[in-house]
Amino acid sequence: MKQDTLRHVPVMLAEAVDALAVKPDGVYLDGTFGRGGHAREVLKRLGAGGRLLLLDRDPQAIASARAEFGQDPRVQVRHGSFAELAEWDATERGVDGVLLDIGVSSPQLDDPQRGFSFQADAPLDMRMDTSQGESAADYLARATEEDIANVLYEYGEERMSRRIARWIVERRHDTPIRTTSALAELCARAIPKREPGKHPATRTFQALRIAVNGELEALQRGLDGARRRLNAGGRLAVISFHSLEDRIVKQFIRSHSQPPPGRRGLPPPPHEALTLCAIGAARQPGAEEIERNPRARSAVLRVAERLPEPPA
């Protein structure tokens, strides 16, 4: 599929960019460029002295970023995961905002050759960075039955995880599972009763995608990197799309914005100086946005602000 036929509708566009409280001369990092919906809005609010740093682990997204923004002197583009944002020398002097739109993008879902969706028959790849790493097919070819079951249960919350894992291992003895349709068909046969409105393979595909891309580990590293690189008053805005991601974001913000709970009759437990302040409650898209873009229905936006360093 040609790159220019793939489009991505940014979720909670105004809410996320408003949450960054963009200053015209500030430095902002979009760690999940996608196809640039949020980045364009940030650039509209930056003046000539502002800077926008763009990251994405997907080579196609980076090609799109360089084609559209490569000539803008305010923009710097890097191919890589937001997990490594603190290692990018462009962030060394600090940033005034970090935006992370977690998960798979519409162009990745809509391109059958990427293997993220069971809507079309395609190679079972699922890598966000196609230049490196192990495909989902290669993972299923080598992983133990126990490992596969654990991945499906932990990352997909799949109640039939052990049954599906057993079917996968039995099937691969005769025929390697190399395509999306082969895996989707296996899941449909392995799960006798379907959840209303949900394909039997939905949770399995989600779990494998998260595992192949190390998404939850990357999120943890990216959140901590953002916290370390944010200037005082800088904002962190994170959009997540399922409970596993949102739980990590929620707990991260809480752990750096609230002291640990104490126990009655005991002195307060020691803790490091708080470095974040939660900004408002979690937000979700409105009914109008969900009607326009059904993929937005599970989105959750959480925002935090970097506190000043405590006096020495």
Side-chain angles (χ1 to χ4, degrees):
M1 185 176 292
K2 292 182 180 179
Q3 185 169 309
D4 59 7
T5 67
L6 302 171
R7 59 190 296 269
H8 177 64
V9 180
V11 172
M12 302 185 75
L13 175 61
E15 296 92 330
V17 179
D18 286 349
L20 292 176
V22 176
K23 300 180 293 186
D25 60 348
V27 180
Y28 296 88
L29 184 145
D30 182 347
T32 47
F33 174 78
R35 290 302 182 271
H38 293 107
R40 287 184 204 97
E41 187 60 30
V42 172
L43 273 174
K44 288 179 185 177
R45 306 184 189 195
L46 285 180
R51 292 178 62 212
L52 178 60
L53 309 177
L54 302 178
L55 267 173
D56 205 294
R57 65 194 302 185
D58 189 328
Q60 292 183 13
I62 288 301
S64 177
R66 287 175 174 149
E68 183 171 357
F69 300 112
Q71 301 305 310
D72 191 322
R74 300 172 297 170
V75 178
Q76 193 168 344
V77 180
R78 182 183 188 186
H79 176 217
S81 170
F82 61 73
E84 301 161 356
L85 71 85
E87 282 76 61
W88 189 6
D89 56 7
T91 69
E92 190 171 357
R93 294 186 178 182
V95 298
D96 298 299
V98 173
L99 173 63
L100 303 177
D101 183 0
I102 308 300
V104 65
S105 69
S106 293
Q108 290 168 335
L109 279 173
D110 294 339
D111 183 352
Q113 295 307 307
R114 302 299 298 271
F116 287 104
S117 172
F118 45 75
Q119 300 297 330
D121 188 27
L124 188 61
D125 194 317
M126 294 194 186
R127 290 173 297 161
M128 292 180 176
D129 185 349
T130 52
S131 69
Q132 61 180 343
E134 179 181 50
S135 71
D138 290 339
Y139 171 78
L140 290 181
R142 64 142 183 98
T144 66
E145 181 179 328
E146 182 180 6
D147 285 345
I148 295 171
N150 287 341
V151 161
L152 300 188
Y153 184 76
E154 292 175 16
Y155 296 160
E157 299 174 301
E158 174 55 73
R159 290 171 295 185
M160 305 294 291
S161 59
R162 296 193 180 281
R163 180 180 174 90
I164 295 171
R166 185 170 66 252
W167 279 52
I168 287 171
V169 171
E170 289 175 355
R171 171 74 64 85
R172 76 187 185 189
H173 284 312
D174 301 318
T175 307
I177 302 169
R178 307 295 304 178
T179 66
T180 55
S181 61
L183 179 59
E185 178 188 351
L186 182 148
C187 292
R189 293 180 61 194
I191 299 178
K193 292 184 179 181
R194 302 188 177 192
E195 295 180 62
K198 190 183 289 283
H199 191 284
T202 298
R203 296 180 184 277
T204 294
F205 270 67
Q206 173 186 295
L208 288 176
R209 189 204 83 214
I210 290 173
V212 164
N213 293 288
E215 292 179 41
L216 301 188
E217 297 86 349
L219 178 55
Q220 290 277 16
R221 289 180 59 199
L223 291 172
D224 191 61
R227 181 184 66 87
R228 289 187 284 122
R229 285 295 187 244
L230 279 171
N231 296 323
R235 294 284 184 88
L236 169 65
V238 186
I239 303 171
S240 57
F241 288 86
H242 60 72
S243 59
L244 295 176
E245 298 168 339
D246 183 55
R247 191 178 305 130
I248 289 172
V249 178
K250 179 181 179 180
Q251 291 177 349
F252 178 83
I253 292 175
R254 177 183 294 167
S255 68
H256 293 286
S257 62
Q258 299 178 18
R263 298 178 63 181
R264 178 181 291 182
L266 295 177
H271 63 88
E272 296 181 358
L274 301 179
T275 53
L276 295 176
C277 172
I279 303 297
R283 297 168 233 180
Q284 295 178 291
E288 184 178 335
E289 178 174 3
I290 294 173
E291 185 176 354
R292 291 195 318 267
N293 180 17
R295 287 177 179 169
R297 64 186 178 274
S298 58
V300 178
L301 170 66
R302 294 187 186 272
V303 184
E305 183 172 296
R306 186 67 157 88
L307 296 172
E309 293 288 342

